[in-house]
Amino acid sequence: MHVPQWTVGTRGQRRTPDRVVFGLDPGPGTSIVECARIAERLHDVLVDDGLAPVAKTSGSKGMQVYAGVRTRTADRTSAYAQSLALRFAAGTPGLVTAKMAKSLRTGKVFIDWSQNNPAKTTIAPCSLRGRDQPTVSTPIAWYEVRACTRPEDLVFTADQVLDRVSASGDLFAALDTTRAPLP
C-alpha cells in the first residue's frame, strides 16, 4: 500500500504533496453513515474537478476521502481542501462544519481539511486500531459508501480486510496512477 502523501525530492526534503485528503469525522449524534453521505457529495465535486477520489474507513468512527494530485506548490492541497470544506459547510450548515472546535460538531460531520498539513498524520490503509476488538482502516469502493445505512456496514476486522484484498486487490493503488492537476 502506498501511504506517503508527499513527493520526496532528490535530497530527501519534502517537495509537493501527491494527494489531497479530506477527513470526515462524525460529531456527537452522527456516525459514519452521515460521513458516507458527505463523502458521496465530495466524490461528485472531486470528479467534476477532474480528480479520481478513493475512500477508506478510519477504522474508528469516520472515514477519509483521497485523490491523487499534481501540484507545484505545497500549500495548494490545503487551500483546495479548505475551500471545499467551507463550501460544504456554507451550503449545508446543519450537516457540516469546517471548524475543528468540538463544541461545533454536535449533529454534524467535521470535514478536516487540515489533514493536508505535512505535520498531520492519518492512519494508513489496512492499519489496525488498538481496541479490545481491533478494527481496520479499510479502503472501500464507492458502491459501499453509497450502500452504507448503518455504522456496522463499514466496520472491518483484520480477517475481513485480508479477504477483501485477496478478492479486490489494492483499492488505494489508483492514487498512484490517477494523479491530476488541482483545479
Side-chain angles (χ1 to χ4, degrees), residues 74-145:
D75 61 340
R76 284 283 296 127
T77 54
S78 187
Y80 175 74
Q82 182 182 29
S83 71
L84 288 186
L86 292 171
R87 185 167 108 191
F88 275 51
T92 51
L95 299 173
V96 173
T97 183
K99 296 183 180 173
M100 193 172 286
K102 295 217 184 254
S103 62
L104 301 175
R105 296 188 195 186
T106 300
K108 299 179 183 181
V109 172
F110 169 50
I111 299 179
D112 188 356
W113 55 270
S114 73
Q115 290 295 312
N116 294 281
N117 181 315
K120 298 284 279 218
T121 60
T122 302
I123 189 165
C126 299
S127 295
L128 286 166
R129 290 288 186 163
R131 303 219 161 93
D132 290 340
Q133 293 290 332
T135 54
V136 182
S137 175
T138 306
I140 51 179
W142 286 104
Y143 75 84
E144 294 174 295
V145 173

Side-chain angles (χ1 to χ4, degrees), residues 133-168:
Q133 293 290 332
T135 54
V136 182
S137 175
T138 306
I140 51 179
W142 286 104
Y143 75 84
E144 294 174 295
V145 173
R146 288 186 282 280
C148 178
T149 59
R150 305 170 304 136
E152 301 81 34
D153 293 340
L154 295 177
V155 175
F156 303 96
T157 65
D159 289 339
Q160 289 171 317
V161 170
L162 290 173
D163 291 342
R164 289 170 61 84
V165 171
S166 292
S168 302

